[in-house]
Amino acid sequence: MARIIIDLPPEVLFTTQLPICVTHINKAQHLDNAALIGLLSEARVRFFRFLGYDELDVDGVGIVVADAAMQYVSEAFYGEILSFEMVPADFNKYGFDLLWRAADQASTREVARGKLGILFFDYAAKRPAAIPEGFRTRIEAAMPRG
Protein backbone atom coordinates (compact mmCIF):
# COMPACT_ATOMS: atom_id res chain seq x y z
CA MET A 1 0.00 0.00 0.00
CA ALA A 2 1.34 3.44 -0.93
CA ARG A 3 1.97 5.73 2.03
CA ILE A 4 1.65 9.50 2.17
CA ILE A 5 5.04 11.07 2.85
CA ILE A 6 5.14 14.76 3.74
CA ASP A 7 8.52 16.51 3.65
CA LEU A 8 8.72 19.63 5.76
CA PRO A 9 11.23 22.45 5.47
CA PRO A 10 13.45 23.16 8.51
CA GLU A 11 12.07 26.71 8.92
CA VAL A 12 8.48 27.44 9.96
CA LEU A 13 6.54 30.68 9.79
CA PHE A 14 3.99 30.17 12.56
CA THR A 15 3.58 28.11 15.73
CA THR A 16 0.59 27.79 18.05
CA GLN A 17 -0.30 25.50 20.95
CA LEU A 18 -3.58 23.67 21.49
CA PRO A 19 -4.54 21.37 24.38
CA ILE A 20 -5.91 17.88 23.86
CA CYS A 21 -9.23 17.82 25.72
CA VAL A 22 -11.28 14.83 26.83
CA THR A 23 -13.63 15.36 23.87
CA HIS A 24 -10.66 14.76 21.52
CA ILE A 25 -10.08 11.23 22.84
CA ASN A 26 -11.49 8.07 21.24
CA LYS A 27 -12.24 4.56 22.59
CA ALA A 28 -8.56 3.62 22.31
CA GLN A 29 -7.80 6.47 24.76
CA HIS A 30 -5.73 8.50 22.30
CA LEU A 31 -6.34 11.49 20.03
CA ASP A 32 -9.09 10.72 17.52
CA ASN A 33 -8.24 11.41 13.87
CA ALA A 34 -11.39 13.51 13.40
CA ALA A 35 -10.46 15.57 16.48
CA LEU A 36 -7.00 16.17 15.01
CA ILE A 37 -8.69 17.70 11.95
CA GLY A 38 -10.65 20.01 14.26
CA LEU A 39 -7.47 21.07 16.08
CA LEU A 40 -5.76 21.60 12.74
CA SER A 41 -8.66 23.83 11.64
CA GLU A 42 -8.18 25.99 14.73
CA ALA A 43 -4.45 26.21 14.03
CA ARG A 44 -5.18 27.24 10.41
CA VAL A 45 -7.51 30.04 11.57
CA ARG A 46 -4.79 31.23 13.95
CA PHE A 47 -2.26 31.16 11.08
CA PHE A 48 -4.38 33.53 9.01
CA ARG A 49 -5.04 35.77 12.03
CA PHE A 50 -1.28 35.89 12.71
CA LEU A 51 -0.95 37.36 9.22
CA GLY A 52 -3.75 39.86 9.96
CA TYR A 53 -6.50 38.14 7.98
CA ASP A 54 -9.87 36.54 8.45
CA GLU A 55 -10.41 33.44 6.29
CA LEU A 56 -13.38 35.11 4.60
CA ASP A 57 -11.42 38.28 3.86
CA VAL A 58 -7.87 37.92 2.64
CA ASP A 59 -7.51 41.19 0.76
CA GLY A 60 -11.08 40.90 -0.52
CA VAL A 61 -11.36 37.15 -1.18
CA GLY A 62 -11.87 34.13 1.03
CA ILE A 63 -10.18 30.77 1.27
CA VAL A 64 -11.32 27.17 1.13
CA VAL A 65 -9.43 24.01 2.00
CA ALA A 66 -9.33 22.26 -1.38
CA ASP A 67 -7.55 19.10 -0.21
CA ALA A 68 -5.75 17.65 2.78
CA ALA A 69 -3.16 14.96 3.44
CA MET A 70 -2.02 13.62 6.83
CA GLN A 71 0.74 11.37 8.00
CA TYR A 72 0.23 10.01 11.51
CA VAL A 73 3.48 9.46 13.42
CA SER A 74 2.58 8.66 17.05
CA GLU A 75 -0.28 8.64 19.52
CA ALA A 76 -1.27 11.72 21.51
CA PHE A 77 -3.16 11.69 24.78
CA TYR A 78 -5.51 13.66 26.99
CA GLY A 79 -3.79 16.56 28.73
CA GLU A 80 -0.94 16.94 26.25
CA ILE A 81 -0.43 20.27 24.53
CA LEU A 82 0.12 20.02 20.80
CA SER A 83 2.43 22.52 19.17
CA PHE A 84 1.38 23.13 15.56
CA GLU A 85 4.09 24.49 13.25
CA MET A 86 3.01 25.86 9.86
CA VAL A 87 4.68 27.15 6.73
CA PRO A 88 3.24 27.98 3.28
CA ALA A 89 4.81 26.31 0.23
CA ASP A 90 4.22 25.43 -3.41
CA PHE A 91 2.40 28.59 -4.47
CA ASN A 92 0.40 28.54 -7.69
CA LYS A 93 -1.96 31.02 -9.37
CA TYR A 94 -4.89 30.28 -7.04
CA GLY A 95 -3.36 29.12 -3.79
CA PHE A 96 -0.66 27.25 -1.92
CA ASP A 97 0.01 24.28 0.32
CA LEU A 98 0.01 24.97 4.04
CA LEU A 99 2.48 22.45 5.45
CA TRP A 100 2.13 21.59 9.13
CA ARG A 101 3.51 19.45 11.92
CA ALA A 102 1.94 18.68 15.30
CA ALA A 103 4.17 17.62 18.22
CA ASP A 104 3.73 17.18 21.94
CA GLN A 105 5.02 20.40 23.45
CA ALA A 106 6.60 18.80 26.53
CA SER A 107 8.48 15.93 24.88
CA THR A 108 8.71 17.28 21.28
CA ARG A 109 7.44 13.86 20.13
CA GLU A 110 6.01 14.29 16.64
CA VAL A 111 2.35 13.27 16.48
CA ALA A 112 1.39 14.03 12.86
CA ARG A 113 2.29 16.10 9.83
CA GLY A 114 0.54 17.04 6.65
CA LYS A 115 -0.54 19.66 4.20
CA LEU A 116 -3.67 21.58 3.42
CA GLY A 117 -4.32 22.78 -0.11
CA ILE A 118 -5.48 26.38 0.35
CA LEU A 119 -7.51 27.82 -2.52
CA PHE A 120 -8.40 31.50 -2.68
CA PHE A 121 -12.08 31.86 -3.48
CA ASP A 122 -14.41 34.65 -4.55
CA TYR A 123 -17.54 33.72 -2.62
CA ALA A 124 -19.71 36.33 -4.43
CA ALA A 125 -18.78 34.95 -7.87
CA LYS A 126 -18.54 31.32 -6.60
CA ARG A 127 -15.20 30.71 -8.31
CA PRO A 128 -11.48 30.45 -7.53
CA ALA A 129 -9.59 33.73 -7.23
CA ALA A 130 -5.96 34.59 -7.85
CA ILE A 131 -3.70 34.90 -4.82
CA PRO A 132 -4.00 38.51 -3.64
CA GLU A 133 -0.73 40.40 -4.17
CA GLY A 134 -0.99 41.88 -0.67
CA PHE A 135 -1.09 38.37 0.80
CA ARG A 136 1.90 37.24 -1.25
CA THR A 137 3.86 40.33 -0.16
CA ARG A 138 2.96 39.76 3.50
CA ILE A 139 4.07 36.10 3.33
CA GLU A 140 7.37 37.01 1.70
CA ALA A 141 8.04 39.63 4.38
CA ALA A 142 7.16 37.24 7.22
CA MET A 143 9.11 34.18 6.01
CA PRO A 144 12.22 33.37 8.05
CA ARG A 145 15.52 33.92 6.28
CA GLY A 146 17.52 30.72 6.56
Side-chain angles (χ1 to χ4, degrees), residues 17 19 23 31 34 37-38 43 68 74 79 94 97-98 100 103 109 116 129 135:
Q17 288 73 37
T23 56
L31 178 63
I37 293 169
S74 68
Y94 297 107
D97 285 339
L98 183 57
W100 61 271
R109 178 190 76 253
L116 299 172
F135 176 82

Side-chain angles (χ1 to χ4, degrees), residues 7 87-93 95-99 115 118 131:
D7 291 319
V87 63
D90 300 326
F91 285 83
N92 61 57
K93 181 178 179 181
F96 63 96
D97 285 339
L98 183 57
L99 304 176
K115 67 178 188 140
I118 303 296
I131 295 176

Side-chain angles (χ1 to χ4, degrees), residues 123-139:
Y123 280 92
K126 301 288 186 209
R127 65 173 189 238
I131 295 176
E133 278 307 310
F135 176 82
R136 190 182 296 270
T137 300
R138 198 170 291 191
I139 288 291

Side-chain angles (χ1 to χ4, degrees), residues 29-91:
Q29 299 303 303
H30 60 228
L31 178 63
D32 187 83
N33 61 348
L36 176 59
I37 293 169
L39 291 167
L40 177 58
S41 293
E42 175 66 25
R44 184 193 71 242
V45 168
R46 290 180 183 191
F47 169 80
F48 277 94
R49 289 203 173 168
F50 162 77
L51 292 170
Y53 294 113
D54 178 279
E55 291 184 314
L56 292 177
D57 185 7
V58 179
D59 292 333
V61 296
I63 64 121
V64 295
V65 175
D67 55 46
M70 287 189 183
Q71 181 182 358
Y72 297 100
V73 179
S74 68
E75 293 177 295
F77 302 97
Y78 170 74
E80 291 181 335
I81 307 290
L82 290 184
S83 181
F84 284 85
E85 300 173 335
M86 300 184 141
V87 63
D90 300 326
F91 285 83

